Amino acid sequence: MKETKFIFITGGVLSSLGKGLAAASLGALLKARGLEVTIQKLDPYINVDPGTMNPTQHGEVFVTDDGAETDLDLGHYERYIDVAMSQRNNYTSGSIYYSVISKERRGDYLGGTVQVIPHITDEIKLMIRNLANSEPQPDVVLVEIGGTVGDIESQPFLEAIRQLRGDLGRNNCLFIHLTLVPYLRAAGEYKTKPTQHSVKELRSIGITPDIILCRCEQTVPEDLKRKIALFCDVDRDAVFSSVDVDHVYKVPLAFYDEGFDQKVAIMLRLPAKNPELQAWRDLVYSLDHPAGEVNIGIVGKYVELKEAYKSLHEALVHGGIANNVAVTLHYVPSEDITETNAKSILGKLDGILVPGGFGERGVDGKIAAVTYARENRVPFFGICLGMQCAVIEYARNVAGITGADSEEFNPLAQDKVIYLMKEWYDHRQQGLVKRTHESGKGGTMRLGAYPCTLKDNTKAFAAYGASSIEERHRHRYEFNNDYMETLEKAGLVFSGLSPHGDLAEIVEIPGHPWFVGCQFHPEFKSRPMRAHPLFREFIKAAKENSK
């Protein structure tokens, strides 16, 4: 059995420096060396998972195949190293404490006093070390510690990784610290004091970084790197720049040019093999040399925080790469749209996408956007709630079911074409519901990857080139099959169904350039070098519409 190496990535000075992208990019470089790589995110917040957190505060919830609701950084990991994440790749303080308290209630600690050290820290170490037992066994596990050094919430995680270096041996662990080196324009110089204080804070708890990664607007000059190395007690060639780039997929190549992965390989005694980066170079060339441009409108309710749609944003970019066009995204608040102003707001778009969401706020605007796209033959893509809005709109305006609505928005509606799945417990018995929240808001949530069967001679079948697919879900309301026959007679095609045939997964309108809605979230499985089929075809239709 091979010995797995561990890399711990911490951040200092302030949040949002890009630890997730740094971890993902380093992971991509190590994988390009032929190594098996996986990445874990440890979040300090007390929520058990981000499933019930407001997207405008926390960003999107990334869903894995096994139904875990996780931090959006896991989306970066999957997109960069092309390895499926799972529940084991994301833990929070809440989930760690929940596990320890559950053990205490069962009597696992034999009546002993349960404390942060050793019980919480031991639980964290267990969750980290468990990743080394994955199949295939990883050569390298990268662990990103969320938050900022100095935060009270992250102290147990930092203590745990401090202990792990002793448990695993110094040759098997590496500490990387990402910090800020700001450029003060008024003074005309970079400042290293934030980095020095951040490293001092880290060392005060017993962790000395092996590598310092400097987040900065431009490459840090050599003399400043020497100064940082001197005052932070690291090798002179262990200080690297993490420079602002115009596109996130350029970060791995920027790190490679700095020699970042080579230093990591030397310090961890990894095989001396140059990474194969041609695929990344081709990707960057495509981004820099598009043959055209398409304008896509995202009509959503969380548009004030772009990271609420992070995977969606990236999947649309991937669709652009596949079609050799630049994708310009226009985030449109759904509450601003009405039937009377839809043309003035959406009229210059080449394609319209209505994403998922929860609650009735902004739904009328989403439905108005669907109507505009359907009547004006603008390529349309509806995801999760977006598909449900498309079904409601079609039922009202084409099938003549004027009172059509969702039970989520109108529990008293006479025609609930979207409803809370009444047979949920039966479906759970049949294995149709893989994972749900244990209690509370998510009690009837369908989460994770489920199979779907596609009908021949449909846009969905043509896009996938297969009759059976598997996609990730995150929703609790379903299409009401009592209305399927009526809508089919009115022209709506149910092109994707669950294997049992009782759950509608994909709908489309034949004859329309592209009018497709899916109950699942295809954006979670899109990759920069392998665009998801539905996004590829949506952007293709938008490209044709832009001519």
Side-chain angles (χ1 to χ4, degrees), residues 139-190:
D139 297 294
V140 180
V141 173
L142 291 97
V143 181
E144 176 194 348
I145 309 298
T148 305
V149 171
D151 294 345
I152 191 170
E153 297 92 344
S154 61
Q155 286 181 358
F157 291 111
L158 296 172
E159 171 61 19
I161 65 174
R162 184 196 68 78
Q163 293 178 20
L164 269 174
R165 176 166 245 180
D167 297 343
L168 299 169
R170 291 184 176 273
N171 291 335
N172 296 319
C173 290
L174 189 72
F175 291 117
I176 298 175
H177 190 54
L178 176 64
T179 184
L180 179 67
V181 177
Y183 180 76
L184 296 187
R185 297 189 184 280
E189 59 182 349
Y190 288 93

Side-chain angles (χ1 to χ4, degrees), residues 332-365:
V332 183
S334 57
E335 291 173 286
D336 292 351
I337 300 177
T338 65
E339 290 185 6
T340 56
N341 69 12
K343 183 176 181 178
S344 63
I345 295 176
L346 307 174
K348 294 183 180 180
L349 299 173
D350 302 313
I352 296 170
L353 189 149
V354 175
F358 294 91
E360 63 179 326
R361 180 174 67 86
V363 166
D364 289 342

Side-chain angles (χ1 to χ4, degrees), residues 35-77:
L35 299 170
E36 293 289 344
V37 179
T38 191
I39 313 180
Q40 185 179 62
K41 175 72 180 292
L42 301 178
D43 278 306
Y45 51 76
I46 303 299
N47 306 66
V48 173
D49 62 41
T52 57
M53 296 170 72
N54 190 325
T56 58
Q57 293 181 19
H58 183 263
E60 77 168 9
V61 174
F62 187 84
V63 178
T64 59
D65 283 339
D66 64 349
E69 293 179 290
T70 69
D71 185 81
L72 62 83
D73 275 336
L74 271 73
H76 293 314
Y77 305 162

Side-chain angles (χ1 to χ4, degrees), residues 360-438:
E360 63 179 326
R361 180 174 67 86
V363 166
D364 289 342
K366 291 187 176 188
I367 292 174
V370 174
T371 302
Y372 176 82
R374 179 181 58 80
E375 292 181 345
N376 292 276
R377 297 178 59 80
V378 177
F380 168 81
F381 194 6
I383 294 176
C384 197
L385 178 59
M387 172 198 136
Q388 296 175 4
C389 289
V391 169
I392 293 169
E393 192 278 335
Y394 200 90
R396 290 177 183 176
N397 299 328
V398 180
I401 310 173
T402 56
D405 215 328
S406 168
E407 185 175 6
E408 181 179 9
F409 318 137
N410 184 5
L412 301 178
Q414 183 175 350
D415 292 296
K416 300 183 183 72
V417 295
I418 306 296
Y419 77 137
L420 191 61
M421 190 165 55
K422 301 297 191 297
E423 301 83 6
W424 178 69
Y425 290 104
D426 293 335
H427 284 127
R428 191 176 191 184
Q429 294 285 334
Q430 298 169 26
L432 295 182
V433 175
K434 179 179 297 186
R435 176 185 170 90
T436 67
H437 288 287
E438 296 183 24

Side-chain angles (χ1 to χ4, degrees), residues 148 166 207 215-216 225 229 231-232 248 269 294 325 377 447:
T148 305
I207 297 174
R215 187 75 163 87
C216 47
K225 287 184 178 181
F231 282 93
C232 297
V248 294
R269 296 172 173 81
V294 296
V325 292
R377 297 178 59 80
L447 290 165

